[in-house]
């Protein structure tokens, strides 16, 4: 009898000891982290992850620019965006819109995560120094770009600079601290990145990768937002005097499909899109929403989700006569109210559904010139400021200005308008309005928001943090008033 | 003369033989006088026995001095009959209706229910009138205490969802489901229940507590459903044929506005002076100009999408029997069903063969099963049929499907009949299962058993759209996918049973191995040159050509052992132990240990008891405690893995990496090498009392689920969404009670078997690692209106929270309403709490309605479930019905908001209830006044969150049986008619209260009644 007990026990023991190998999980279709991080191609794949994780939400990125930065100001109107339903999309309600909660927020932070991974792991890789330097530079630049937009839309953000820790609570830092990080990242990037002509001589195909001047442009933007006029003017001058960029002679050529790639003289940092890539990875949605008017060619190819988005007549009427930049706008005879529609981002005939190939400029030379002009005007150097403005005006077919006719403030007021006429629907209007015409911004908020009297108009200068972020990170505190 | 002599010699020789041994003959019949073939007749104390022939007749030469015959037959009470010199007997067996002797299948063996120490419920299809049922899971609906299966989706081929003794997992889907075992083979997915034809099922045993389930270790934590198929069991050949036809009708439609009311509603909305309409100016704010309303078409879209003449049928043919000791059964089944919403349908062909053979010391069995399922997935839109403009005719003047009356909606809101017109989509599943087992009796009492099998399932699906969807979309698109699952299972064990004096002991030990593989691939493209090329040749698609593939494997290795001991059949002890290792867990945590024990005391076996209370045949107290585990988690969670995908950043194409198993940041997770088994500790205490006339069972249980795997949120700013950790725990406590009676009147002419059961379950989260998880968000028209579910410590897993709706602001309350930024006609919510500086809650009204004013509304899982069944037999008629009751469950009726809230809501049609909205002259206290937007707080208040309790007459069946005596080819015939879901008692205002958690347009299915006619014949 007692032998019988031995048998099952032995069986169990044999099982337990012999089977540990059997229980190792077999992985198919992916590799382990230990096997990666070996070659130059691995380093490039890693930084491509940072570009690509904005991937399906590059669409979100441009969509956000459009909704918040442009539709959320007095230059855009109409369609659903004028109604209470969509106030969240333009920033005038107490809830964050869906595309923030489950689009931008996770993909922005994923980009930061991918950039941090590169910064953690690539320096120790045993690979070609030039490849290593460039990839690290791109990581710094992308991280800084993400932080710039987050700080401007939400205020002070948690600072995450490594992937080696995973705390359960991450507190917010101040806006000043964030900008310090942004500036140091961009300076690190500028030191490491090649410029456009170097890339062309290398035979680089990917014209969307960050260059040294792109990082400079973002640094100038960061300085401008903080009111660091001298630094801003200096960095802008570096870009201008490099000779790498010049203004396109025809305004619409900045955006045209034929002029995409390194051929484009003016664009400094562009988000390149390719039609037909799916699911909306690398695709630009922006112009799809704006294109629908019966007079436009192929208009029925595009969705009318937007419900008649329009450019405001009040903005249109501010243009000077004969301003060639009005070519980017179009007055439709089909609409009875608000007939002005957007034309400057061209429709891509290869568009499939939401997936269109029209590139989106993030920074271009005209913007840099106007930033320098604004910085100089703030410093009191009206002559140099007007010189820059006149370069932009010349392309627009407008007469040059005379510095003698302006005071510092009146020149700034003019530059404000010049930026609107030049950079409309490129993701600048809201930021510019807050920076350069604060009172108008407050008045605009009051006209749009349903509850500003109860909560104060100032609260709408920032967006509320998405509820998913607050739920998952107890260290976050919502913006005041939300 | 010669013949007479030989006959005489023969006769005398027989007599001589007979004179040397006693022979007894007899006929065994059932209570209705029907002869019973295949009944076991055994001479007590010997191995000498026989079985009755097809006429119920037996003849047995007796060996002992004072022979006692043991007559036993499945489903009947065994009788001991002293021969007492008789040569011929007529033995009447009584049906074991209360199943005191029933044999239940427990892990790795069988046992008599009366000897069990654990909690098991058995369901025998032949005892139920399972006429209207086409799916084995439906057979269990409402019949097993503690098991709730929603009938929300009655479509055949739908995968059932089981809740056994409460919610038990933080993960969605399969992880919380019980384990399904078919003929000894654990399946990795409950959907395999669809591959078994109900008419092939002999018995289903549901194991509920640890002492029953622990032997199944992995996934035994959520309970086990064991399905045993029929064997051949009658001498000779038996042929059975059955057929049924049935049709579905819609039980409840929604009363929506007609064209005139619809036109008027939007006109009123556009002209209401209080509303800002923004982009909806007079030119497009209402679809039909004033004065044209009498000339409008009026289309009843619900009628258009409902497949009113639907017809389904099922045919079954089986052949079974015993020949030279080989029991065999082969069956074929065809099911062809049309859905209630056209044109969806489901077709299934199922064939199986089973052999059981005992030869000397060997016992052998072989099972082969093949199922083919075909599903047409195109379904016209029921949800659209409620919202689409009634003023649009079905077809416009060009003969195309008409567009929405609101111009602005045309590109987004398609005609409800569009899916059938513009797309084709179907799937086909082939499942093959082969298994075999061998048992060998080494020495008396010691058996060795080995079993092995393989299940292969391949599922292919095809989709194409060959007409534009939106007005702007021109392209045709198609996609195809194929997914294959393969499971290999084998187990082996030794079992030793012995009885010495009054002790019986049985020891079992062994092991098992299971391998699971899934692999699949898909491809898609758009822009095909002609319609209907699509998935037949996907290479013809010009653009957006994509593809993908996946491959996944998992293994589980286990050792198991069990000891059963009983003393005099009175004191029973069971001890189980199981050791499991699974590949999905972290390197140091692959193994889990699952011990359990059960005790039972059969008081009815004590002499003093049977003397004092002779009318009770069973009085059993049992208790069990044990641990079961769950390994049902997705793989690839324990190491950091890197995947690749192509990315364009300009003119070239490069590989980019991603980690967290997906490039979608919304789902990416951080790996956790410490992942380990979930553990469930169950305590079960039960009492069973019964005699042939009644049976009652009461169980109390307390199930603690610990180390539950949570997708713990991590700060999104880390670039991930969650990490899987073993930190959740929850507890289910409950009571189950049932009572079955068997009553007979008028000399057994009229028999009545009523049964009543009720169960109560309370579920509560006991630990969530401090996390609070928001879920069950309300989506209407692609916009989220916020969360209604909160998972947090101290509340049920599926807790629903909402605002307290207390009425509509009336004119007399205008001032107070203004303090809440509301006006008369707006909904009024209770202001219960306020918010402090750091977002914490402060009791007391604060003049604002904020998230802190939400209160606990209930559990989306029912607290009480119950049923009442009744089977009435009179001569050859049988009338049976059963009621299912589900009580105290919260449902967020989102459809109430979309259909009865008087807002614009993108020009959708609404229920006629909006005509009763608040106006100064009609001070409603339920429907608010005309308004622009859907109030997101109202949608998440008890204006929309309702109690989904109901009592439903699930099934009503009338059957007529005919028995044929003698040598006719046909032995018996059964004709029946049945109706399901005839009556529902509920206060729920939506279509079907049996919907889980959220009733919104995303899961809108009409509630159907099914009427069936059928016939069964045995030859």
């Amino acid at each position: 009898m007692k032998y019988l007990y031995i048998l099952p026990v032995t069986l169990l023991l044999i099982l337990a000891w012999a089977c540990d190998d059997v229980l190792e999980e077999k992985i198919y279709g992916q590799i382990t982290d230990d096997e990666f991080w070996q070659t130059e191609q691995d380093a490039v794949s890693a930084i491509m992850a940072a570009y690509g994780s904005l991937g399906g939400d590059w669409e979100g990125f441009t969509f956000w620019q459009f909704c918040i930065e442009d539709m959320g100001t007095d230059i855009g109107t109409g369609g659903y965006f004028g109604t209470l339903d969509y106030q969240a999309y333009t920033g005038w309600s107490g809830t964050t819109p869906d595309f923030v909660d489950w689009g931008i927020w996770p993909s922005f932070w994923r980009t930061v995560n991918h950039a941090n991974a590169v910064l953690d792991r690539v320096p120790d890789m045993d690979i070609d120094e030039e490849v290593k330097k460039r990839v690290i530079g791109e990581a710094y630049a992308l991280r800084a770009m993400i932080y710039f937009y987050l700080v401007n839309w939400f205020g002070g953000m948690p600072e995450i600079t490594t992937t080696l820790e995973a705390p359960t609570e991450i507190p917010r830092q101040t806006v000043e601290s964030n900008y310090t990080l942004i500036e140091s990242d961009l300076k690190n990037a500028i030191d490491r990145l090649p410029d456009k002509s170097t890339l062309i001589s290398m035979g680089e195909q990917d014209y969307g990768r960050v260059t040294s001047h792109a990082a400079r442009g973002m640094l100038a933007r960061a300085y401008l937002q903080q009111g660091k006029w001298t630094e801003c003017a200096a960095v802008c001058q570096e870009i201008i005097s490099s000779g790498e960029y010049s203004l396109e002679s025809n305004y619409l050529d900045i955006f045209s499909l034929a002029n995409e790639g390194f051929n484009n003289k003016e664009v400094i940092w562009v988000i390149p899109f390719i039609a037909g890539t799916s699911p909306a990875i690398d695709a630009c949605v922006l112009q799809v929403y704006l294109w629908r008017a019966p007079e436009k060619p192929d208009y029925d190819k595009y969705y009318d989700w937007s419900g008649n988005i329009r450019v405001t007549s009040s903005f249109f009427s501010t243009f000077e006569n004969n301003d060639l930049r009005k070519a980017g706008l179009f007055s439709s005879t089909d609409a009875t109210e608000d007939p002005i529609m957007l034309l400057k981002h061209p429709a891509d005939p290869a568009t499939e559904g939401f997936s269109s190939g029209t590139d989106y400029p993030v920074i271009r030379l005209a913007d840099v010139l106007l930033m320098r002009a604004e910085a100089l005007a703030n410093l009191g150097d009206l002559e140099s400021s007007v010189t820059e403005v006149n370069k932009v005006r010349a392309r627009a077919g407008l007469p040059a200005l005379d510095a003698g006719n302006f005071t510092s403030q009146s020149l700034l007021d003019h530059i404000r308008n010049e930026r609107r006429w030049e950079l409309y629907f490129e993701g600048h209007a809201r930021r510019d309005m807050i920076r350069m015409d604060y009172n108008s911004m407050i008045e605009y908020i009051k006209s749009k928001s349903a509850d500003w009297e109860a909560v104060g108009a100032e609260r709408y200068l920032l967006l509320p943090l998405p509820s998913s972020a607050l739920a998952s990170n107890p260290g976050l505190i919502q913006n005041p008033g939300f | 003369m010669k013949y007479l002599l030989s006959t005489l010699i023969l006769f005398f020789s027989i007599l001589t033989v007979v004179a040397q041994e006693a022979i007894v003959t007899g006929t065994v019949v059932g209570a209705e006088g029907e002869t019973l073939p295949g009944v076991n007749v055994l001479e007590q104390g010997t191995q000498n026995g026989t079985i009755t022939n097809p006429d119920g007749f037996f003849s047995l030469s007796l060996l002992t001095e004072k022979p006692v015959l043991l007559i036993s037959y499945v489903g009947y009470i065994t009788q001991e009959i002293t021969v007492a010199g008789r040569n011929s007997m007529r033995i009447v067996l009584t049906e074991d209706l209360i199943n005191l002797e029933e044999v239940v299948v427990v892990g790795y063996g069988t046992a008599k229910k009366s000897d069990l120490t654990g909690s098991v419920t058995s369901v025998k299809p032949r005892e139920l009138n399972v006429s209207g049922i086409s799916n084995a899971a439906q057979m269990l609906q409402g019949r097993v205490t503690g098991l709730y299966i929603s009938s929300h989706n009655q479509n055949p081929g739908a995968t059932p969802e089981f809740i056994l003794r409460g919610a038990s997992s933080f993960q969605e889907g399969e992880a919380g489901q019980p384990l399904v075992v078919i003929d000894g083979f654990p399946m990795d997915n409950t959907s395999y229940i669809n591959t078994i034809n109900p008419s092939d099922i002999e018995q289903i045993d549901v194991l509920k507590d640890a002492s029953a389930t622990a032997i199944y270790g992995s996934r035994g934590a959520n309970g086990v459903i064991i399905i045993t198929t029929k064997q051949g069991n009658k001498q000779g050949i038996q042929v059975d044929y059955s057929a049924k036809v049935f049709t579905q009708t819609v039980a409840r439609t929604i009363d929506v506005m007609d064209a005139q009311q619809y036109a008027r509603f939007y006109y009123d909305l556009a002209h209401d002076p209080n509303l800002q309409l923004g982009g909806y100016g007079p030119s497009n704010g209402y679809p039909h100009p004033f004065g044209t309303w009498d000339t409008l078409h009026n289309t009843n879209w619900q009628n258009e999408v409902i497949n009113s003449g639907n017809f389904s049928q099922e045919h079954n043919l089986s052949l079974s029997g015993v020949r030279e000791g080989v029991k065999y059964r082969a069956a074929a089944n065809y099911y062809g069903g049309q859905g209630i919403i056209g044109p969806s349908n489901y077709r299934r062909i199922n064939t199986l063969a089973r052999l059981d053979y005992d030869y000397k010391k060997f016992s052998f069995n072989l099972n082969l099963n093949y199922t083919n399922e075909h599903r047409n997935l195109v379904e016209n839109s029921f949800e659209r049929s409620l919202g689409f403009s009634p003023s649009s005719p079905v077809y416009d003047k060009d003969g195309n499907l008409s567009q929405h009356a609101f111009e602005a909606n045309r590109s987004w809101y398609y005609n409800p009949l569009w899916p059938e017109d513009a797309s084709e989509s179907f799937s086909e599943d082939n499942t093959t299962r082969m298994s075999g087992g061998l048992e060998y009796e080494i020495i008396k009492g010691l058996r060795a058993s080995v079993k092995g099998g393989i299940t292969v399932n391949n599922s292919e699906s095809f989709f194409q759209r060959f007409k534009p969807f939106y007005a702007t979309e021109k392209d045709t698109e198609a996609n195809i996918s194929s997914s294959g699952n393969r499971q290999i299972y084998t187990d082996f064990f030794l079992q030793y049973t012995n009885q010495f004096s009054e002790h019986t002991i049985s020891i079992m030990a062994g092991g098992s191995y299971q391998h699971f593989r899934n692999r699949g691939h898909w491809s898609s493209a758009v822009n095909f040159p002609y319609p209907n090329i699509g998935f037949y040749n996907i290479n013809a698609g010009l653009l957006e050509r994509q593809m993908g593939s996946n491959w996944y494997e998992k293994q589980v290795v286990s050792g198991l052992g069990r000891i059963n001991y009983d003393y005099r059949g009175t004191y029973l002890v069971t001890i189980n132990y199981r050791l499991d290792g699974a590949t999905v867990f972290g390197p140091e945590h692959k193994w889990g240990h699952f011990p359990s024990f059960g005790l039972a005391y059969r008081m009815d076996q004590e002499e003093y008891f049977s003397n004092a209370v002779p009318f009770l045949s069973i009085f059993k107290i049992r208790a069990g405690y044990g641990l079961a585990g769950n390994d049902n988690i997705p793989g690839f969670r324990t190491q950091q893995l890197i995947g690749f995908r192509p990315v364009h950043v300009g003119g070239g194409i490069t590989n980019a990496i991603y980690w967290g198993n997906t490039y979608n940041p919304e789902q990416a997770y951080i790996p956790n090498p410490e992942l380990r088994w979930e553990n469930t500790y169950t305590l079960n205490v039960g009492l069973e009392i019964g005699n042939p006339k009644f049976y009652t069972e009461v169980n109390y249980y307390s199930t603690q689920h610990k180390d539950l795997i949570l997708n713990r949120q991590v700060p999104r700013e880390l670039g991930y969404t969650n990490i899987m950790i073993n930190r959740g725990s929850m507890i289910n406590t409950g009571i189950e009670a049932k009572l079955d009676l068997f009553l007979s009147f008028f000399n057994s002419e009229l028999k009545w078997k009523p049964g009543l059961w009720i169960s109560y379950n309370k579920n509560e989260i006991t630990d969530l690692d401090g996390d609070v998880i928001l879920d069950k968000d309300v989506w209407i028209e692609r916009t989220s209106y916020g969360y209604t579910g909160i998972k947090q410590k101290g509340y049920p897993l599926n807790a629903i929270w909402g605002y307290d709706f207390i009425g509509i602001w009336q004119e007399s309350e205008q001032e107070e309403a203004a303090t809440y930024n509301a006006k008369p006609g707006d909904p009024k919510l209770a202001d219960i709490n306020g918010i402090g500086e750091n977002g914490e809650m402060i009791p007391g009204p604060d003049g604002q309605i904020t998230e802190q004013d939400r209160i606990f509304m209930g559990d989306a899982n029912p607290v009480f479930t119950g049923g009442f069944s009744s089977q009435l037999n009179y001569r050859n008629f049988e009338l049976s019905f059963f009621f299912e009751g589900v009580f105290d469950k919260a449902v967020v009726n989102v459809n109430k908001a979309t259909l009865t809230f008087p807002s614009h809501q993108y020009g959708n049609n609404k229920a006629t209830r909006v005509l009763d909205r608040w106006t100064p002259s009609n001070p409603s206290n339920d429907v608010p006044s005309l308004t622009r937007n859907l109030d997101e707080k109202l949608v998440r208040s008890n204006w929309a969150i309702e109690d989904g309790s109901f009592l439903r007459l699930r099934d009503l069946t009338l059957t007529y049986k005919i028995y044929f005596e003698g040598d006719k080819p046909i032995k018996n015939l059964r004709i029946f008619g049945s109706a399901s879901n005839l009556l529902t008692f509920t206060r729920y205002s939506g279509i079907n209260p049996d919907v889980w958690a959220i009733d919104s347009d995303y899961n809108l299915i009409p509630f159907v009644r099914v009427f069936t006619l059928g016939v069964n014949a045995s030859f």
Side-chain angles (χ1 to χ4, degrees), chain B residues 808-821:
Chain B
I808 305 275
W809 291 107
Q810 302 296 336
E811 302 224 77
S812 53
E813 299 164 305
Q814 187 163 4
E815 275 190 37
E816 195 192 342
T819 65
Y820 289 98
N821 283 332

Side-chain angles (χ1 to χ4, degrees), chain B residues 191-423:
Chain B
S191 65
Y192 281 102
I193 238 178
N194 277 326
T195 61
I196 292 263
N197 174 17
S199 52
D200 293 326
I201 298 180
E202 173 67 41
Q203 183 165 323
I204 303 181
D205 297 288
V206 182
L207 311 189
K208 297 188 266 187
D209 72 340
S211 71
T213 65
I215 197 62
Y216 275 109
S218 88
R219 256 174 307 139
N222 301 326
V224 186
I225 298 176
I226 302 182
I227 298 177
T228 310
T229 56
K230 289 180 181 163
Q231 297 183 10
N233 60 11
K234 295 198 161 106
Q235 283 290 354
I237 299 181
Q238 172 154 334
V239 177
D240 286 282
Y241 171 74
S242 72
K244 54 183 187 252
V245 296
F246 52 99
T247 181
Q248 300 174 62
T249 60
V250 174
R252 198 165 172 177
T253 51
I254 302 251
D255 208 7
V256 292
M257 294 194 281
D258 64 25
Q260 279 73 23
Q261 294 166 325
Y262 170 78
R264 167 143 219 162
F265 176 79
Y266 280 101
Y267 181 83
D268 287 346
L269 193 68
H271 289 87
D272 188 305
N274 293 324
L275 301 176
Q276 292 173 271
L277 289 175
Y280 290 89
S283 59
N284 56 8
Y286 53 96
H288 301 291
F290 188 84
T292 63
W293 300 344
D294 290 330
T295 61
L296 294 173
H297 292 272
N298 200 353
T299 311
N300 182 335
W301 288 104
Q302 283 176 77
N303 286 349
E304 297 293 330
V305 302
I306 286 172
N307 198 0
S308 52
N310 69 82
F311 173 79
S312 309
Q313 58 181 315
E314 185 176 347
H315 301 272
N316 253 311
L317 181 65
S318 77
L319 202 73
S320 71
V322 181
R323 188 183 165 91
E324 286 169 25
V326 178
K327 298 183 209 166
Y328 63 90
R329 183 166 186 275
N333 166 268
Y334 169 80
Y335 176 94
Q338 289 186 318
I340 188 68
I341 302 280
S344 65
N345 62 43
Y346 173 72
R347 229 178 33 237
R348 179 183 69 211
I349 295 172
N350 182 297
T351 57
L352 62 73
R354 180 172 173 154
L355 274 180
D356 295 87
Y357 181 48
D358 294 325
Y359 176 71
K360 295 192 184 161
K361 296 196 176 195
F362 286 94
S363 211
F364 165 75
N365 94 313
L366 184 65
N367 265 315
L368 299 165
N369 184 320
Y370 167 71
T371 308
N372 171 288
E373 296 166 275
H374 183 281
R375 291 173 174 84
N376 178 355
L377 300 171
V378 177
E379 198 170 85
N380 288 327
S381 175
F382 183 64
E383 168 246 327
R384 278 284 113 232
S385 77
L386 294 175
F388 203 73
S389 45
S391 49
S392 305
V394 179
Y395 294 98
D396 63 19
K397 55 181 167 33
D398 300 320
N400 297 320
L401 285 179
S402 67
Q403 304 236 35
H404 200 284
F406 263 88
E407 163 125 27
N409 291 347
R410 286 197 180 159
S411 52
W412 285 87
Y413 294 135
Y414 55 85
N415 186 307
L417 299 177
W418 176 87
E420 184 175 5
D421 192 51
S423 66

Side-chain angles (χ1 to χ4, degrees), chain A residues 1 4-5 7-9 11-12 15-17 19-20 22-34 36-37 41-42 44-46 48-49 51-58 78-80 82-86 89 95 98 101-103 105-107 109-110 112-114 117 158 160 162-163 165-170 205-209 272 274 276-279 281-282 292 299-305 308 336-337 350-355 451 454 467-469 471-474 476, chain B residues 276-284 408-409 411-412 446 470-475 492 494 496 498 500 505 507 509-513 515 526-527 543-544 546 551-553 555-561 563 577 579 581-584 590-591 634-666 668 670 712-721 771-772 774 779 782-784 787 821 906 932-933 936:
Chain A
M1 268 298 282
L4 280 159
Y5 293 106
L7 203 51
V9 170
L11 280 168
L12 289 171
L15 239 105
W17 288 21
C19 291
D20 265 332
V22 168
L23 294 180
E24 203 178 299
E25 191 167 32
K26 297 200 184 80
I27 312 290
Y28 298 98
Q30 299 182 80
I31 61 171
T32 64
D33 191 58
D34 301 327
F36 192 68
W37 308 106
Q41 187 53 46
D42 289 346
V44 172
S45 298
M48 284 297 158
Y51 286 104
S53 70
L54 275 170
D57 292 286
W58 276 128
Y80 297 165
T83 68
L84 297 173
D85 279 350
Y86 280 80
Y89 283 70
T95 54
D98 314 320
D101 212 337
W102 40 267
W105 190 269
S107 65
W109 288 104
R110 201 92 198 283
V112 168
N113 172 265
H114 281 298
I160 302 180
T162 175
T163 57
E165 288 155 14
T168 50
E169 280 192 27
I170 314 175
Q205 292 292 310
D206 288 329
Y207 60 88
R209 288 175 74 174
I274 306 216
T277 52
S278 209
I281 301 172
D282 309 337
R292 187 171 174 83
Y299 91 100
D300 57 357
K301 223 170 149 52
Y302 307 107
Y303 294 115
D304 188 24
W305 174 89
N308 313 319
T336 50
E337 307 173 10
T351 297
E352 284 305 328
F354 280 108
S355 178
D451 60 353
S467 52
S468 58
S472 60
N473 181 0
L476 286 184
Chain B
Q276 292 173 271
L277 289 175
Y280 290 89
S283 59
N284 56 8
N409 291 347
S411 52
W412 285 87
L446 180 66
Y470 300 129
T472 50
E473 222 176 64
K474 292 268 189 265
D475 288 310
F492 58 91
L494 286 174
Y496 178 71
N498 204 353
F500 34 98
I505 186 161
I507 302 173
S512 78
Y513 168 76
H515 180 273
V526 304
N527 203 343
L543 297 174
E544 287 189 46
Q546 301 173 74
W551 191 307
Y552 170 71
E553 288 182 20
Q555 295 175 102
V556 179
V557 176
S558 320
L560 40 104
I563 298 176
Y577 176 79
L579 176 71
T583 49
V584 291
K590 304 258 186 209
W591 294 97
F636 303 154
R637 290 292 197 265
T638 59
Q639 343 176 25
Q640 182 69 282
L641 298 175
I642 294 186
F644 295 88
R645 64 174 182 130
V647 150
H648 301 265
V649 195
I653 182 167
T654 328
N655 266 320
I657 61 174
Y658 59 87
W659 48 71
N661 208 37
T662 169
Y663 62 79
N664 178 352
E666 266 297 292
I670 300 179
R712 175 87 169 76
Q713 293 180 93
V714 294
R716 296 298 186 86
E717 295 79 44
L718 292 175
Y720 297 95
T721 312
D771 199 5
V772 171
L774 304 177
W779 282 82
R782 289 177 299 271
T783 306
S784 165
Y787 298 92
N821 283 332
Y906 313 104
R932 180 69 185 79
N933 293 311
E936 52 102 1

Side-chain angles (χ1 to χ4, degrees), chain A residues 361-372:
Chain A
V362 179
I363 304 177
R364 58 185 177 92
L365 188 63
D367 178 23
V368 173
L369 291 168
L370 289 173
M371 282 200 282
R372 181 150 198 269

Side-chain angles (χ1 to χ4, degrees), chain B residues 895-927:
Chain B
N895 293 319
K896 181 176 180 189
T898 51
L899 291 172
T900 66
F901 191 78
S903 69
H904 193 284
Q905 210 56 44
Y906 313 104
N908 277 331
N909 195 4
K910 295 183 181 286
T912 48
R913 192 116 172 72
V914 301
L915 301 172
D916 195 28
R917 61 185 181 272
W918 189 96
T919 60
S921 52
N922 178 30
S924 159
N925 214 16
D926 186 44
V927 185

Side-chain angles (χ1 to χ4, degrees), chain B residues 437-551:
Chain B
L438 188 64
E439 281 188 22
Y440 175 61
E441 189 170 3
I442 303 170
I443 56 173
K444 182 172 179 306
L446 180 66
R447 295 184 76 85
S449 156
V450 70
K451 188 156 84 235
I454 181 170
T455 303
V456 175
N457 163 274
N458 187 44
S459 177
E460 293 176 286
S461 61
F462 301 86
F463 169 81
Q464 66 171 335
R465 176 180 56 73
F466 41 79
K467 282 191 190 173
F469 179 45
Y470 300 129
T472 50
E473 222 176 64
K474 292 268 189 265
D475 288 310
T476 50
E477 65 172 310
N479 60 59
I480 56 180
S481 74
S482 167
S483 171
N485 290 321
R486 184 191 74 184
Q487 289 179 82
I488 296 176
Y489 177 80
T490 176
D491 70 38
F492 58 91
F493 56 90
L494 286 174
Q495 178 154 9
Y496 178 71
T497 310
N498 204 353
Q499 184 170 355
F500 34 98
S501 69
E502 295 175 312
H503 308 268
T504 310
I505 186 161
S506 169
I507 302 173
M508 186 270 281
S512 78
Y513 168 76
Q514 192 164 12
H515 180 273
F516 169 74
R517 181 186 76 195
N518 169 268
R519 52 187 192 196
H521 53 88
W522 59 270
S523 47
S524 69
V526 304
N527 203 343
F528 288 83
Y530 281 88
N532 243 343
I533 289 187
F535 52 66
Y536 298 103
N537 179 11
I538 206 143
N539 195 34
L542 199 59
L543 297 174
E544 287 189 46
R545 293 156 66 91
Q546 301 173 74
M547 59 196 166
S549 69
N550 70 286
W551 191 307

Side-chain angles (χ1 to χ4, degrees), chain B residues 254 265-266 778-781 785 891-905 908-911 913-914 926-928 931 933-946 988-990 999-1001:
Chain B
I254 302 251
F265 176 79
Y266 280 101
V778 172
W779 282 82
I780 301 176
E781 300 289 347
Y785 282 74
V891 179
V892 183
N893 187 357
V894 177
N895 293 319
K896 181 176 180 189
T898 51
L899 291 172
T900 66
F901 191 78
S903 69
H904 193 284
Q905 210 56 44
N908 277 331
N909 195 4
K910 295 183 181 286
R913 192 116 172 72
V914 301
D926 186 44
V927 185
T931 177
N933 293 311
L934 200 62
D935 184 330
E936 52 102 1
K937 292 194 168 71
L938 190 65
V939 170
R940 294 182 298 141
S941 73
N942 52 16
W943 181 85
I945 300 176
E946 304 183 36
Y988 183 69
S989 68
D999 190 3
S1000 76
D1001 52 9

